[in-house]
Amino acid sequence: RAVMEPPVLTRPPDVGDEVVAKSSEWTECLINDPTQKSGDSEQTLRVETWVFRTEHYGDFERLLKIRGFENTGQQATLTCRERQIDPEVRCAECMRLLRGGYYSSVGVAVQAYP
Protein backbone atom coordinates (compact mmCIF):
# COMPACT_ATOMS: atom_id res chain seq x y z
CA ARG A 1 0.00 0.00 0.00
CA ALA A 2 1.40 3.43 -1.02
CA VAL A 3 1.50 6.11 1.64
CA MET A 4 2.40 9.02 -0.63
CA GLU A 5 3.35 9.91 -4.18
CA PRO A 6 7.01 9.44 -5.16
CA PRO A 7 9.16 12.60 -4.96
CA VAL A 8 9.49 14.74 -8.04
CA LEU A 9 12.91 14.51 -9.73
CA THR A 10 14.75 17.71 -10.53
CA ARG A 11 16.10 17.79 -14.07
CA PRO A 12 16.95 20.29 -16.77
CA PRO A 13 14.02 21.54 -18.87
CA ASP A 14 13.25 19.86 -22.20
CA VAL A 15 15.02 21.52 -25.12
CA GLY A 16 13.08 21.72 -28.37
CA ASP A 17 14.61 21.78 -31.83
CA GLU A 18 12.47 24.63 -33.15
CA VAL A 19 13.73 28.06 -32.18
CA VAL A 20 11.71 31.15 -32.93
CA ALA A 21 13.32 34.44 -31.88
CA LYS A 22 14.06 37.85 -33.31
CA SER A 23 17.74 38.73 -33.61
CA SER A 24 17.30 41.68 -31.24
CA GLU A 25 16.12 39.32 -28.48
CA TRP A 26 19.69 38.06 -27.93
CA THR A 27 22.97 39.78 -27.10
CA GLU A 28 26.54 38.49 -27.34
CA CYS A 29 29.29 40.14 -25.28
CA LEU A 30 33.03 39.51 -25.47
CA ILE A 31 35.36 40.28 -22.60
CA ASN A 32 39.02 40.59 -23.63
CA ASP A 33 41.26 40.60 -20.58
CA PRO A 34 45.02 40.92 -21.18
CA THR A 35 46.90 39.57 -18.17
CA GLN A 36 50.57 39.66 -17.33
CA LYS A 37 52.13 37.23 -14.87
CA SER A 38 54.39 38.79 -12.28
CA GLY A 39 58.03 38.67 -13.35
CA ASP A 40 57.05 37.81 -16.94
CA SER A 41 57.16 40.37 -19.76
CA GLU A 42 54.75 38.41 -22.00
CA GLN A 43 51.01 39.13 -21.90
CA THR A 44 48.29 36.54 -22.43
CA LEU A 45 44.73 37.32 -23.51
CA ARG A 46 41.84 35.70 -21.68
CA VAL A 47 38.58 35.87 -23.67
CA GLU A 48 35.07 35.18 -22.38
CA THR A 49 31.93 35.02 -24.52
CA TRP A 50 28.52 35.63 -22.95
CA VAL A 51 25.20 35.06 -24.76
CA PHE A 52 21.96 36.11 -23.06
CA ARG A 53 18.53 37.56 -23.71
CA THR A 54 18.74 41.30 -24.35
CA GLU A 55 16.09 41.98 -21.70
CA HIS A 56 18.58 40.64 -19.10
CA TYR A 57 21.34 43.14 -19.93
CA GLY A 58 20.86 44.89 -16.57
CA ASP A 59 21.48 41.59 -14.79
CA PHE A 60 24.62 41.08 -16.89
CA GLU A 61 25.88 44.49 -15.74
CA ARG A 62 25.25 43.45 -12.13
CA LEU A 63 27.18 40.20 -12.71
CA LEU A 64 30.14 42.19 -14.05
CA LYS A 65 29.95 44.43 -11.00
CA ILE A 66 30.05 41.38 -8.69
CA ARG A 67 33.14 40.14 -10.54
CA GLY A 68 34.84 43.54 -10.16
CA PHE A 69 34.92 44.35 -13.88
CA GLU A 70 34.94 48.12 -13.28
CA ASN A 71 38.13 48.16 -11.19
CA THR A 72 40.33 51.22 -11.73
CA GLY A 73 43.35 50.49 -13.92
CA GLN A 74 41.87 47.30 -15.36
CA GLN A 75 42.75 46.76 -19.02
CA ALA A 76 39.84 44.41 -19.84
CA THR A 77 37.45 45.54 -22.59
CA LEU A 78 33.81 44.70 -23.16
CA THR A 79 32.12 44.71 -26.59
CA CYS A 80 28.50 43.68 -27.16
CA ARG A 81 26.33 43.16 -30.23
CA GLU A 82 22.90 41.84 -31.16
CA ARG A 83 22.91 38.30 -32.46
CA GLN A 84 20.57 35.71 -33.83
CA ILE A 85 19.85 32.64 -31.79
CA ASP A 86 21.79 29.53 -32.71
CA PRO A 87 20.16 26.31 -31.46
CA GLU A 88 23.55 24.58 -31.64
CA VAL A 89 25.13 26.89 -29.04
CA ARG A 90 25.57 25.16 -25.70
CA CYS A 91 26.97 26.89 -22.68
CA ALA A 92 30.14 25.66 -21.02
CA GLU A 93 29.25 27.23 -17.68
CA CYS A 94 25.61 28.20 -17.40
CA MET A 95 25.00 30.87 -14.74
CA ARG A 96 22.03 32.60 -13.27
CA LEU A 97 21.99 35.78 -11.21
CA LEU A 98 19.67 35.77 -8.18
CA ARG A 99 18.87 39.10 -6.59
CA GLY A 100 16.44 40.58 -4.13
CA GLY A 101 15.63 39.41 -0.61
CA TYR A 102 18.80 38.33 1.19
CA TYR A 103 20.90 39.03 -1.93
CA SER A 104 19.81 42.71 -2.08
CA SER A 105 20.08 44.55 -5.41
CA VAL A 106 23.55 43.24 -6.31
CA GLY A 107 22.74 39.53 -6.18
CA VAL A 108 24.69 36.30 -6.28
CA ALA A 109 25.72 34.17 -9.31
CA VAL A 110 24.75 30.48 -9.17
CA GLN A 111 24.91 27.56 -11.58
CA ALA A 112 21.95 27.11 -13.91
CA TYR A 113 20.82 24.65 -16.52
CA PRO A 114 21.28 25.62 -20.19
Side-chain angles (χ1 to χ4, degrees), residues 46-72:
R46 186 177 63 129
V47 178
E48 295 180 25
T49 304
W50 293 83
V51 178
F52 52 89
R53 291 187 184 274
T54 303
E55 66 189 54
H56 296 195
Y57 188 79
D59 291 333
F60 180 66
E61 287 180 318
R62 285 183 187 90
L63 176 65
L64 292 178
K65 188 175 185 178
I66 289 172
R67 294 180 56 198
F69 183 75
E70 297 176 359
N71 288 340
T72 306

Side-chain angles (χ1 to χ4, degrees), residues 11-16 113-114:
R11 66 178 181 80
D14 294 329
V15 178
Y113 292 110

Side-chain angles (χ1 to χ4, degrees), residues 90-96 110-114:
R90 299 285 182 235
C91 59
E93 280 185 51
C94 297
M95 295 183 127
R96 185 172 170 200
V110 297
Q111 286 185 327
Y113 292 110

